[in-house]
PDB file of all heavy atoms in Angstrom:
ATOM      1  N   TRP R  64      -7.349   8.551   0.667  1.00 93.00           N
ATOM      2  CA  TRP R  64      -8.717   8.162   1.006  1.00 93.00           C
ATOM      3  C   TRP R  64      -8.817   7.772   2.469  1.00 93.00           C
ATOM      4  O   TRP R  64      -7.851   7.871   3.219  1.00 93.00           O
ATOM      5  CB  TRP R  64      -9.178   7.027   0.103  1.00 93.00           C
ATOM      6  CG  TRP R  64      -8.352   5.751   0.199  1.00 93.00           C
ATOM      7  CD1 TRP R  64      -7.278   5.511   1.015  1.00 93.00           C
ATOM      8  CD2 TRP R  64      -8.553   4.553  -0.557  1.00 93.00           C
ATOM      9  NE1 TRP R  64      -6.787   4.236   0.821  1.00 93.00           N
ATOM     10  CE2 TRP R  64      -7.560   3.621  -0.143  1.00 93.00           C
ATOM     11  CE3 TRP R  64      -9.461   4.156  -1.520  1.00 93.00           C
ATOM     12  CZ2 TRP R  64      -7.464   2.335  -0.681  1.00 93.00           C
ATOM     13  CZ3 TRP R  64      -9.352   2.883  -2.060  1.00 93.00           C
ATOM     14  CH2 TRP R  64      -8.368   1.991  -1.642  1.00 93.00           C
ATOM     15  N   ILE R  73     -11.443   0.809   8.019  1.00 92.00           N
ATOM     16  CA  ILE R  73     -11.323   0.812   6.563  1.00 92.00           C
ATOM     17  C   ILE R  73     -12.737   0.674   6.013  1.00 92.00           C
ATOM     18  O   ILE R  73     -13.452  -0.272   6.354  1.00 92.00           O
ATOM     19  CB  ILE R  73     -10.428  -0.334   6.072  1.00 92.00           C
ATOM     20  CG1 ILE R  73      -9.015  -0.212   6.673  1.00 92.00           C
ATOM     21  CG2 ILE R  73     -10.357  -0.339   4.548  1.00 92.00           C
ATOM     22  CD1 ILE R  73      -8.121  -1.396   6.400  1.00 92.00           C
ATOM     23  N   GLN R  77     -13.826   1.133   0.248  1.00 95.00           N
ATOM     24  CA  GLN R  77     -12.403   1.079  -0.084  1.00 95.00           C
ATOM     25  C   GLN R  77     -12.007  -0.329  -0.520  1.00 95.00           C
ATOM     26  O   GLN R  77     -11.188  -0.492  -1.430  1.00 95.00           O
ATOM     27  CB  GLN R  77     -11.564   1.515   1.115  1.00 95.00           C
ATOM     28  CG  GLN R  77     -11.648   3.000   1.430  1.00 95.00           C
ATOM     29  CD  GLN R  77     -10.840   3.367   2.673  1.00 95.00           C
ATOM     30  OE1 GLN R  77     -11.379   3.448   3.770  1.00 95.00           O
ATOM     31  NE2 GLN R  77      -9.556   3.559   2.492  1.00 95.00           N
ATOM     32  N   PHE R  78     -12.548  -1.338   0.145  1.00 96.00           N
ATOM     33  CA  PHE R  78     -12.238  -2.719  -0.240  1.00 96.00           C
ATOM     34  C   PHE R  78     -12.703  -2.992  -1.672  1.00 96.00           C
ATOM     35  O   PHE R  78     -11.954  -3.529  -2.492  1.00 96.00           O
ATOM     36  CB  PHE R  78     -12.910  -3.712   0.722  1.00 96.00           C
ATOM     37  CG  PHE R  78     -12.247  -3.815   2.060  1.00 96.00           C
ATOM     38  CD1 PHE R  78     -12.832  -3.267   3.192  1.00 96.00           C
ATOM     39  CD2 PHE R  78     -11.037  -4.473   2.200  1.00 96.00           C
ATOM     40  CE1 PHE R  78     -12.217  -3.366   4.433  1.00 96.00           C
ATOM     41  CE2 PHE R  78     -10.409  -4.581   3.438  1.00 96.00           C
ATOM     42  CZ  PHE R  78     -11.007  -4.027   4.558  1.00 96.00           C
ATOM     43  N   GLY R  94      -2.189   3.502  -0.188  1.00 95.00           N
ATOM     44  CA  GLY R  94      -3.128   4.428   0.425  1.00 95.00           C
ATOM     45  C   GLY R  94      -2.505   5.331   1.470  1.00 95.00           C
ATOM     46  O   GLY R  94      -1.506   4.994   2.095  1.00 95.00           O
ATOM     47  N   HIS R  95      -3.147   6.481   1.656  1.00 92.00           N
ATOM     48  CA  HIS R  95      -2.714   7.464   2.644  1.00 92.00           C
ATOM     49  C   HIS R  95      -3.874   8.409   2.906  1.00 92.00           C
ATOM     50  O   HIS R  95      -4.873   8.398   2.191  1.00 92.00           O
ATOM     51  CB  HIS R  95      -1.491   8.242   2.138  1.00 92.00           C
ATOM     52  CG  HIS R  95      -1.510   8.502   0.663  1.00 92.00           C
ATOM     53  ND1 HIS R  95      -2.124   9.597   0.099  1.00 92.00           N
ATOM     54  CD2 HIS R  95      -1.034   7.768  -0.377  1.00 92.00           C
ATOM     55  CE1 HIS R  95      -1.990   9.553  -1.215  1.00 92.00           C
ATOM     56  NE2 HIS R  95      -1.346   8.445  -1.541  1.00 92.00           N
ATOM     57  N   GLN R 101      -2.571   1.147   8.872  1.00 95.00           N
ATOM     58  CA  GLN R 101      -3.765   0.303   8.853  1.00 95.00           C
ATOM     59  C   GLN R 101      -3.371  -1.075   8.328  1.00 95.00           C
ATOM     60  O   GLN R 101      -2.314  -1.246   7.709  1.00 95.00           O
ATOM     61  CB  GLN R 101      -4.847   0.932   7.975  1.00 95.00           C
ATOM     62  CG  GLN R 101      -5.462   2.179   8.579  1.00 95.00           C
ATOM     63  CD  GLN R 101      -6.569   2.761   7.710  1.00 95.00           C
ATOM     64  OE1 GLN R 101      -6.674   2.475   6.519  1.00 95.00           O
ATOM     65  NE2 GLN R 101      -7.409   3.592   8.305  1.00 95.00           N
ATOM     66  N   PRO R 102      -4.220  -2.091   8.576  1.00 96.00           N
ATOM     67  CA  PRO R 102      -3.906  -3.435   8.102  1.00 96.00           C
ATOM     68  C   PRO R 102      -3.673  -3.489   6.590  1.00 96.00           C
ATOM     69  O   PRO R 102      -4.299  -2.756   5.817  1.00 96.00           O
ATOM     70  CB  PRO R 102      -5.154  -4.235   8.488  1.00 96.00           C
ATOM     71  CG  PRO R 102      -5.671  -3.530   9.698  1.00 96.00           C
ATOM     72  CD  PRO R 102      -5.429  -2.075   9.432  1.00 96.00           C
ATOM     73  N   PHE R 104      -3.630  -5.841   3.130  1.00 97.00           N
ATOM     74  CA  PHE R 104      -4.285  -7.001   2.540  1.00 97.00           C
ATOM     75  C   PHE R 104      -3.647  -7.303   1.185  1.00 97.00           C
ATOM     76  O   PHE R 104      -2.955  -6.468   0.602  1.00 97.00           O
ATOM     77  CB  PHE R 104      -5.777  -6.744   2.344  1.00 97.00           C
ATOM     78  CG  PHE R 104      -6.548  -6.552   3.615  1.00 97.00           C
ATOM     79  CD1 PHE R 104      -6.547  -5.321   4.264  1.00 97.00           C
ATOM     80  CD2 PHE R 104      -7.280  -7.581   4.170  1.00 97.00           C
ATOM     81  CE1 PHE R 104      -7.257  -5.122   5.428  1.00 97.00           C
ATOM     82  CE2 PHE R 104      -7.992  -7.403   5.346  1.00 97.00           C
ATOM     83  CZ  PHE R 104      -7.980  -6.165   5.968  1.00 97.00           C
ATOM     84  N   VAL R 111      -2.512  -4.400  -1.099  1.00 98.00           N
ATOM     85  CA  VAL R 111      -3.389  -3.253  -0.891  1.00 98.00           C
ATOM     86  C   VAL R 111      -3.016  -2.652   0.458  1.00 98.00           C
ATOM     87  O   VAL R 111      -3.324  -3.199   1.507  1.00 98.00           O
ATOM     88  CB  VAL R 111      -4.874  -3.661  -0.903  1.00 98.00           C
ATOM     89  CG1 VAL R 111      -5.754  -2.435  -0.668  1.00 98.00           C
ATOM     90  CG2 VAL R 111      -5.237  -4.342  -2.211  1.00 98.00           C
ATOM     91  N   MET R 112      -2.319  -1.529   0.410  1.00 97.00           N
ATOM     92  CA  MET R 112      -1.870  -0.838   1.619  1.00 97.00           C
ATOM     93  C   MET R 112      -2.803   0.348   1.826  1.00 97.00           C
ATOM     94  O   MET R 112      -2.625   1.402   1.210  1.00 97.00           O
ATOM     95  CB  MET R 112      -0.413  -0.405   1.449  1.00 97.00           C
ATOM     96  CG  MET R 112       0.520  -1.569   1.152  1.00 97.00           C
ATOM     97  SD  MET R 112       2.208  -1.074   0.713  1.00 97.00           S
ATOM     98  CE  MET R 112       1.970  -0.403  -0.934  1.00 97.00           C
ATOM     99  N   PHE R 113      -3.804   0.186   2.665  1.00 96.00           N
ATOM    100  CA  PHE R 113      -4.834   1.210   2.802  1.00 96.00           C
ATOM    101  C   PHE R 113      -4.292   2.504   3.400  1.00 96.00           C
ATOM    102  O   PHE R 113      -4.708   3.590   3.024  1.00 96.00           O
ATOM    103  CB  PHE R 113      -5.992   0.682   3.638  1.00 96.00           C
ATOM    104  CG  PHE R 113      -6.869  -0.272   2.892  1.00 96.00           C
ATOM    105  CD1 PHE R 113      -6.767  -1.637   3.089  1.00 96.00           C
ATOM    106  CD2 PHE R 113      -7.799   0.189   1.971  1.00 96.00           C
ATOM    107  CE1 PHE R 113      -7.570  -2.520   2.390  1.00 96.00           C
ATOM    108  CE2 PHE R 113      -8.611  -0.690   1.268  1.00 96.00           C
ATOM    109  CZ  PHE R 113      -8.501  -2.045   1.477  1.00 96.00           C
ATOM    110  N   SER R 114      -3.363   2.400   4.355  1.00 95.00           N
ATOM    111  CA  SER R 114      -2.720   3.587   4.909  1.00 95.00           C
ATOM    112  C   SER R 114      -1.362   3.178   5.463  1.00 95.00           C
ATOM    113  O   SER R 114      -1.270   2.253   6.278  1.00 95.00           O
ATOM    114  CB  SER R 114      -3.566   4.223   6.015  1.00 95.00           C
ATOM    115  OG  SER R 114      -2.897   5.347   6.566  1.00 95.00           O
ATOM    116  N   MET R 189     -10.257 -11.020   0.067  1.00 96.00           N
ATOM    117  CA  MET R 189      -8.958 -10.443   0.405  1.00 96.00           C
ATOM    118  C   MET R 189      -8.187 -11.414   1.297  1.00 96.00           C
ATOM    119  O   MET R 189      -8.772 -12.171   2.072  1.00 96.00           O
ATOM    120  CB  MET R 189      -9.123  -9.113   1.151  1.00 96.00           C
ATOM    121  CG  MET R 189     -10.060  -8.124   0.488  1.00 96.00           C
ATOM    122  SD  MET R 189      -9.402  -7.362  -1.013  1.00 96.00           S
ATOM    123  CE  MET R 189      -8.415  -6.043  -0.328  1.00 96.00           C
TER     124      MET R 189
END
Side-chain angles (χ1 to χ4, degrees):
W64 61 1
I73 300 172
Q77 289 177 264
F78 285 107
H95 36 87
Q101 289 182 341
F104 295 81
V111 179
M112 302 172 288
F113 285 102
S114 178
M189 310 288 277

